[in-house]
Amino acid sequence: MAFFSSGGTRRDTTTVTSPAAAPTGAVMDSAHVGDIVGALGSIGRHDTLEGRTRRQKFKMLLAIIGPGLIVMVGDNDAGGIATYAQAGQNYGMALVWTLALLIPVLYVNQEMVVRLGAVAGVGHARLIFDRFGKFWGAFSVGDLFIVNALTIVTEFIGVSMALGYFGLPKAISVPLAAVLLFAVVAGGSFRRWERFLFGLIAVNIVMFPLAFMVHPSPSQAAHGLIPSFPGGLNSTLLLLIVAIVGTTVAPWQLFFQQSNIVDKRITPRWIRYERIDLWVGIVVVMAGAIAIMAAAAFGLGPDMMGNFTDAGAVAQGLSDNMGKTVGALFAILLLDASLIGANAVGLATTYALGDTLGKRHSLHWKISEAPVFYAGYAALLAVAAAVSFSPDHVLGLLTQGVQALAGVLLPSATVFLVLLCNDKAVLGPWVNTVRQNIVAGVIVWSLVLLSLALTAATFFPDLTTAQLEAGFGIGVGVGLLGGIGIAIAKRRADREVTERTASELGGLDPDQVEELDSTPLSRAERKAIREQDRDTWRTPALDSLERPTFSPLRIAGMIALRGYLLLAVVLVAVKIVQSITG
């Protein structure tokens, strides 16, 4: 049902918006313009909140909900379940604090892509290529394709382990899952796809009886909120912490949610509703992560504690120690998470492929109308399914390694995200505030410090916990000094712009120029004007915008970051090989 404004009343009607609608502004795919058609309702393209009752607003919120919920639940994929289960099996509830610290990281990162998608109307990859050029675009997207392909392999591993628990062989379960995943996407209906995903998300309710049936200790779980390093801060623990970061805040999420918001046709006036959607997803993903960690921490026998192998072994261990029902619930959760993750990660990749190649990429198109989009998705599923037939001991370590790689690559993805959210030509009145930039800066630097610690612990395995903690302290100090330096430089640059403007206006004093921006309106009037401007502002056509220039210092910093990330990726691979060879 669609909502239309007419004198403050609502009338329900069925609307079919053709993908042939004319794109506006930066929007490049005509399927991305039209009514919002969601799993739980529809909203007309020109509808607003003006004159709506609370019930009508709630229905509109239900129509918007989708991208934030799906990207967050997709975050608890097969790799996520394996990583959280490993944390619970090897360290009990001692690492719950990592999840608590990741909540603001999740919201800040994904809220930025919410604004980018709704305002620009194009995917994350397209913005990077158009604003920073092919070199930096390849820098950002190249890693995504590789890590995403490996991530989908872990999803098929999860499918085979889950269905293997119920006696279905891998030779049947993996091809069956691949066909199902393609059939859901290839229907040419965004609403049908979203409804299927909502059905899978509803299965997550089994996490509550799962957590209850292992008889968890609330006091132990609460104690885990206090940061600690069980067994000392070493490369093994750091690799797991980086894996938790990588599976909870993965780079693919940025590309998926922005493109999915664009595909759902969400515009700036609905950003506040999409933020609610994001918070709903964060609550669900955190509840699931804690439930999985608790299931492994309290449900496995003492002979299995500290000896994680893979998620399939956890399901069997739960069955042996707590009964078949508990093992079955864990296997169902693993299967559900694997299907949702494979779908979301696969779409994130093919959305980015469409952005990169300039081809149609929307779930509103049928296969014949967007052959490259669907062929890329099918090829990705086929390759990942084939790789999932590798030896089991390699696949088990690959699962954790992929999450660690995602954690290592996250700082690079976040840097581009912050740069785009400070690009006034793209976001206009939606650019980051000073507070948002400070929080984003803290997040990026914290992620860099974490990967630096992993690098140091891998190179120098004899480093003590005290030495690594001292390194973190030094890193925090360097970050504070760097932040102060950036703030001073920005203030100086803003002052130079004001002085230049004063000169152009006939020699006015810079303070007089700043006064020109103020108006005799009340605070409420200024806020109303600002909100109206924000609700209707869209990014102009990208080819009409002047591309931002990188200063020599910024280029040097980006190259240094790239070089370090390459080194960190190699070190993660070395650590995985060491684990395989014992």
Side-chain angles (χ1 to χ4, degrees):
M1 307 302 289
F3 296 88
F4 293 88
S5 297
S6 178
T9 61
R10 177 178 70 89
R11 58 188 175 91
D12 294 332
T13 182
T14 302
T15 60
V16 179
T17 303
S18 169
T24 57
V27 178
M28 296 181 174
D29 192 323
S30 58
H32 297 155
V33 179
D35 295 353
I36 297 172
V37 183
L40 304 178
S42 301
I43 300 176
R45 178 180 177 184
H46 301 293
D47 280 353
T48 68
L49 289 168
E50 185 178 355
R52 304 295 182 186
T53 64
R54 288 185 178 181
R55 186 170 180 221
Q56 290 169 345
K57 290 179 179 179
F58 180 70
K59 286 186 175 181
M60 287 179 153
L61 172 62
L62 292 179
I64 294 294
I65 283 179
L69 177 60
I70 292 171
V71 76
M72 289 293 102
V73 177
D75 187 36
N76 273 2
D77 59 355
I81 286 186
T83 302
Y84 302 140
Q86 180 178 8
Q89 184 174 348
N90 290 357
Y91 300 103
M93 301 300 288
L95 296 180
V96 172
W97 62 271
T98 59
L99 298 175
L101 291 180
L102 286 173
I103 291 175
V105 180
L106 273 173
Y107 179 75
V108 170
N109 274 15
Q110 297 305 129
E111 191 277 337
M112 284 192 281
V113 296
V114 165
R115 282 183 281 131
L116 284 172
V119 176
V122 296
H124 202 60
R126 172 53 58 190
L127 280 181
I128 292 174
F129 272 97
D130 278 345
R131 301 305 289 155
F132 304 127
K134 293 182 178 179
F135 175 80
W136 296 111
F139 170 13
S140 177
V141 176
D143 295 333
L144 177 81
F145 289 144
I146 296 172
V147 176
N148 281 10
L150 293 174
T151 301
I152 298 176
V153 174
T154 68
E155 313 301 357
F156 282 117
I157 295 171
V159 168
S160 64
M161 288 179 177
L163 292 179
Y165 176 86
F166 296 105
L168 195 65
K170 181 189 288 190
I172 297 177
S173 61
V174 170
L176 185 64
V179 171
L180 173 65
L181 289 168
F182 183 77
V184 170
V185 167
S189 169
F190 185 95
R191 168 174 280 173
R192 189 181 304 122
W193 167 82
E194 192 171 75
R195 283 178 173 171
F196 177 80
L197 264 293
F198 275 27
L200 291 179
I201 289 171
V203 177
N204 273 265
I205 198 168
V206 304
M207 66 185 171
F208 294 109
L210 173 65
F212 177 77
M213 293 175 72
V214 298
H215 309 299
S217 169
S219 61
Q220 287 187 35
H223 187 71
L225 291 171
I226 302 173
S228 64
F229 304 108
L233 196 57
N234 51 52
S235 61
T236 301
L237 179 61
L238 279 169
L239 183 65
L240 180 57
I241 292 175
V242 171
I244 291 174
V245 173
T247 193
T248 308
V249 194
W252 69 262
Q253 294 175 273
L254 308 180
F255 291 82
F256 172 82
Q257 188 171 8
Q258 182 167 334
S259 291
N260 201 237
I261 283 172
V262 172
D263 210 7
K264 194 165 182 176
R265 304 164 179 165
I266 293 174
T267 56
R269 82 166 44 97
W270 307 110
I271 284 179
R272 68 196 64 153
Y273 278 9
E274 183 53 35
R275 287 169 175 160
I276 297 173
D277 176 30
L278 181 56
W279 274 117
V280 171
I282 290 174
V283 170
V284 174
V285 76
M286 285 296 147
I290 294 172
I292 294 162
M293 199 178 289
F298 300 107
L300 297 174
D303 57 320
M304 291 191 67
M305 298 308 293
N307 298 306
F308 176 83
T309 53
D310 56 53
V314 172
Q316 190 59 53
L318 289 172
S319 176
D320 295 340
N321 193 55
M322 302 298 298
K324 292 184 178 180
T325 301
V326 176
L329 289 176
F330 186 89
I332 290 171
L333 196 59
L334 175 60
L335 174 63
D336 187 60
S338 302
L339 293 175
I340 295 174
N343 193 296
V345 177
L347 280 176
T349 311
T350 47
Y351 275 141
L353 181 66
D355 277 335
T356 303
L357 300 179
K359 301 294 184 179
R360 286 177 170 178
H361 50 291
S362 170
L363 293 170
H364 294 284
W365 296 113
K366 298 184 183 299
I367 294 178
S368 59
E369 297 168 323
V372 174
F373 176 66
Y374 291 109
Y377 186 77
L380 194 61
L381 292 179
V383 172
V387 175
S388 70
F389 283 89
S390 300
D392 289 344
H393 70 284
V394 174
L395 295 177
L397 290 165
L398 175 65
T399 300
Q400 182 188 356
V402 168
Q403 312 310 320
L405 285 173
V408 166
L409 295 172
L410 186 60
S412 170
T414 306
V415 165
F416 280 106
L417 177 59
V418 173
L419 290 175
L420 286 172
C421 283
N422 281 278
D423 191 338
K424 290 185 178 181
V426 171
L427 281 186
W430 290 98
V431 293
N432 274 3
T433 63
V434 173
R435 182 182 302 174
Q436 288 171 322
N437 280 329
I438 291 174
V439 174
V442 170
I443 289 172
V444 171
W445 187 241
S446 298
L447 294 172
V448 169
L449 288 180
L450 186 59
S451 57
L452 278 171
L454 175 61
T455 303
T458 304
F459 261 128
F460 308 104
D462 294 330
L463 284 175
T464 65
T465 299
Q467 289 171 327
L468 287 169
E469 289 176 347
F472 275 120
I474 294 172
V476 170
V478 171
L480 286 173
L481 292 175
I484 293 171
I486 292 173
I488 293 174
K490 187 177 185 307
R491 186 176 181 83
R492 184 177 300 167
D494 290 343
R495 185 68 178 178
E496 289 176 356
V497 170
T498 302
E499 291 174 351
R500 230 177 8 252
T501 304
S503 175
E504 293 171 357
L505 291 176
L508 292 177
D509 184 85
D511 292 332
Q512 292 176 306
V513 174
E514 292 179 356
E515 290 177 3
L516 291 177
D517 291 332
S518 63
T519 64
L521 298 175
S522 67
R523 177 180 297 180
E525 290 172 327
R526 288 199 300 269
K527 181 179 179 181
I529 293 173
R530 185 168 62 249
E531 289 298 327
Q532 184 178 7
D533 181 39
R534 282 159 62 94
D535 284 353
T536 58
W537 202 92
R538 299 300 300 271
T539 304
L542 293 175
D543 56 7
S544 69
L545 304 179
E546 183 178 351
R547 182 176 293 174
T549 56
F550 275 14
S551 66
L553 181 61
R554 178 177 288 183
I555 292 175
M558 294 293 289
I559 292 175
L561 176 62
R562 181 57 173 172
Y564 167 70
L565 289 176
L566 287 174
L567 175 62
V569 168
V570 171
L571 290 174
V572 169
V574 168
K575 186 63 181 176
I576 294 171
V577 172
Q578 288 176 347
S579 300
I580 293 175
T581 59

